[in-house]
Amino acid sequence: MADLSVATVAPSEAHASGGAAAPRAPRPRRRPRRFVGLLYVLPAAAVYFYFAIWPTLTTVGLSFMTWDGIVPARWAGLDNYTRIFTDTTLLNAIVHSLVLIVFFAVIPVIVGLMLTALLTQKIRHGMTFFRVVFFLPQVLPLVVVGITWRWLYSENGVVNQFLSTIGLGDITRAWLGDYDLALIALGLIGTWTMSGLCMVLFLSGAQKIDPQYYEAATLDGAGAFRQFISITLPELRKEITIAAVITTIAALASFDLVFVTTNGGPANQTTVPGLLVYRLAFNEGNIGGASALAVTLSVIVIGIVTLIRYIAREKP
Amino acid sequence: MKTPIVSTTLRYAVLVAMTLIVIVPFVGIVLAALHPADGQVTGLAIPSQLSWENFVLAWDGANFDRLVGSSVLIAVCVVPLALVLATLAAYALAVLKVPGSRFITPAFVFGLTLPVELVVVALYFNLRGVGLLDSYVGIILAEAALFMPFGIYWMHAHFSSVPMELVEASRIDGARDLIVLARVLLPISWPAITTLAVLYFMWSWNQFLLVLVLMQDPNKRTAPAGLGYFVGQYSTNIPLLSAASIIVIAPIVIMYLIFQRSFVSGLTQGAVK
């Protein structure tokens, strides 16, 4: 599947100018044809504009309004935005989503890297089977993942059964209802969902590393740990960046999972921005507030994704 | 380099442990789904009698006739529509290099980062204004738009990897753009298109927030959205909830087992940019 990698985008750019200058395709005949080509973009652009770009612009507009969805909207200036940073309920939701990054992104990336270190070049048989299993949580609807974990975490659930078996019966509880631990319990569902993605990404990336690097390092007397730090980690930069970006977006923009597991409870301990956008807009009729929160969330997503890309950029 | 047996065994032990962590929740809900409905389920336990009728009870209780019907209808429309739109646009942008493609492509791809939350509220009011709420057409077009960034990104990357000599050669023979696409590019693009189709199916089937907001009519909800409401109704009936969950994931799990290569390559290769 290497032919699908995007590294090939750049050379074909160069080809465009080369193609236009080719002697057998003179300029005057190509021009109208190139504009006609826009017709192929048009249907996609129209759907994308009306159902994605236009609503985005509308959201930005509404974020400066006070509107209940019925009576005409009133200009509110930056009120909706200032409220996000003064209202503890809204601010906490943002903080929770940042905490979830640890569980959705940081821990899965670390787990994935540890497994890659353990398995690269070592395991030859059965990897297809393990890959199919590890990747499975990634394809399931999060609603079902949530329902499953709701039960696993419940008073009579498998988590408590396991804890009792290993002699930790004292700490059993209804995990998602625990004031202090609900957010962590929720986060660990994200860890369960995302670890497989990271693992599969890193393992497939590590397979592409030239084995000669490792052989040379071994000859130079580098141990397994040293080899991992100096060869595997730098060679996986692209995969690590992508894993971090995908999982971070999943953490910040989480909705489905929270909606079916805790619905923000207990006592707003597990609220996330997505949940409050939904509540503000459809339960409380505060469209302006919901829009401002959605815009803020998107700005945070873009900011953190940009930051990850910046940290992981190719250094000269 | 020879690996000692002990360390190989250790490695497989770690793999097996990870496998168990992934699998146990599924074993859990399968076992729970077979317990008598309304009964107490405690941890992992094999029920004394297998209550297969839970699947029937859950099917009728959550009105899965309607839910699965809606899900299938939406997926069957979204997948081909989104595929055709993305393929045509990516062809024009990557191969024909239409004027402005330098700006149009990034504009589409930028959408990859934006969360659904950003559009869903405004989309509700926009669609309410034009009578597309509670409408399959509205959902189908909204999902097609939502999946567009990835589709264009994916097909663009694929078309860019095709040797341009192939396209140029048939052009010189006088073939029109659409003929080039149909006769030259599509025949070598089926693996990429299949992968995209499989991902589109999954995203359409699993879509939750968009359906929750745009489909208020209980009879038109999709399977996952219906399940979201079913939880509220039967929150303590673990056997029925488990049975309903299995019904919802069955199609996607079967699809995954058949096309696992496409799923994995799509979500991993597609991501590596």
Side-chain angles (χ1 to χ4, degrees), chain A residues 3 6 15 33-34 55 59 69 118 125 130 132 135 139-140 143 147 156 161 192 199 238 242 253 256, chain B residues 11-12 18-19 21 26 40 43-44 97 117-118 122 128 153 161 164 171 177 206 208 231 256 271-272:
Chain A
D3 59 325
V6 189
H15 207 282
R33 242 172 99 173
R34 289 184 65 205
T59 306
L118 191 71
H125 302 290
F130 291 116
V132 169
F135 207 72
V139 305
L140 299 177
V143 178
I147 290 175
N156 300 315
Q161 186 190 28
W192 181 81
M199 233 181 288
K238 224 197 273 175
I242 281 310
D256 311 14
Chain B
R11 291 188 165 92
Y12 276 107
M18 302 290 293
T19 305
I21 294 174
F26 293 103
Q40 177 80 271
L44 287 178
K97 309 277 193 217
E117 283 93 337
L118 183 63
R128 192 180 71 173
Y153 165 74
S161 72
M164 281 299 138
R171 273 233 190 102
D177 292 339
N206 292 353
F208 184 65
V231 181
Y256 174 62
V272 180

Side-chain angles (χ1 to χ4, degrees), chain A:
Chain A
M1 295 300 276
D3 59 325
L4 296 172
S5 99
V6 189
T8 44
V9 172
S12 68
E13 291 284 348
H15 207 282
S17 44
R24 281 204 251 179
R27 251 162 201 283
R29 280 200 55 210
R30 291 288 299 274
R31 277 239 158 228
R33 242 172 99 173
R34 289 184 65 205
F35 276 99
V36 168
L38 277 175
L39 287 177
Y40 303 130
V41 187
L42 195 64
V47 171
Y48 187 59
F49 181 83
Y50 189 78
F51 289 87
I53 296 178
W54 184 241
T56 301
L57 298 175
T58 313
T59 306
V60 173
L62 285 172
S63 71
F64 299 106
M65 304 282 184
T66 302
W67 192 37
D68 63 356
I70 305 157
V71 302
R74 279 180 298 109
W75 180 253
L78 289 172
D79 284 3
N80 292 320
Y81 287 97
T82 40
R83 198 165 309 128
I84 291 174
F85 297 97
T86 49
D87 183 326
T88 45
T89 316
L90 297 174
L91 199 57
N92 279 340
I94 293 176
V95 173
H96 295 156
S97 70
L98 294 174
V99 172
L100 288 183
I101 293 178
V102 175
F103 295 95
F104 280 61
V106 179
I107 300 178
V109 166
I110 292 172
V111 169
L113 285 175
M114 285 184 357
L115 265 125
T116 307
L118 191 71
L119 303 175
T120 306
Q121 318 255 316
K122 303 283 167 37
I123 294 289
R124 282 170 227 289
H125 302 290
M127 263 331 282
T128 310
F129 168 79
F130 291 116
R131 195 183 60 185
V132 169
V133 171
F134 295 160
F135 207 72
L136 183 61
Q138 200 58 37
V139 305
L140 299 177
L142 284 169
V143 178
V144 171
V145 171
I147 290 175
T148 306
W149 279 92
R150 234 168 74 118
W151 173 64
L152 295 177
Y153 272 139
S154 68
E155 203 95 53
N156 300 315
V158 177
V159 172
N160 285 338
Q161 186 190 28
F162 175 74
L163 290 173
S164 302
T165 314
I166 59 168
L168 290 172
D170 290 347
I171 65 163
T172 60
R173 67 196 73 196
W175 294 92
L176 290 170
D178 189 281
Y179 187 83
D180 296 312
L181 298 174
L183 187 63
I184 295 173
L186 182 68
L188 287 173
I189 306 178
T191 309
W192 181 81
T193 317
M194 294 298 168
S195 294
L197 173 74
C198 295
M199 233 181 288
V200 173
L201 254 173
F202 300 160
L203 283 171
S204 76
Q207 268 171 6
K208 291 183 219 144
I209 302 175
D210 190 341
Q212 286 181 351
Y213 290 174
Y214 293 104
E215 283 159 26
T218 311
L219 286 180
D220 289 345
F225 181 72
R226 181 77 223 178
Q227 290 185 14
F228 180 74
I229 297 292
S230 311
I231 302 171
T232 316
L233 219 46
E235 290 287 315
L236 287 181
R237 194 190 55 233
K238 224 197 273 175
E239 281 79 8
I240 296 170
T241 314
I242 281 310
V245 166
I246 297 179
T247 52
T248 302
I249 294 177
L252 291 170
S254 58
F255 174 82
D256 311 14
L257 201 57
V258 187
F259 186 83
V260 293
T261 49
T262 61
N263 201 10
N268 283 341
Q269 284 295 294
T270 58
T271 49
V272 288
L275 192 70
L276 293 190
V277 167
Y278 179 80
R279 268 194 205 160
L280 285 173
F282 301 108
N283 297 344
E284 295 171 24
N286 180 358
I287 314 302
S291 303
L293 186 57
V295 172
T296 309
L297 170 66
S298 308
V299 170
I300 294 175
V301 169
I302 294 167
I304 295 186
V305 166
T306 310
L307 181 72
I308 294 172
R309 291 239 162 90
Y310 178 78
I311 294 171
R313 77 195 182 282
E314 202 140 2
K315 280 144 196 135

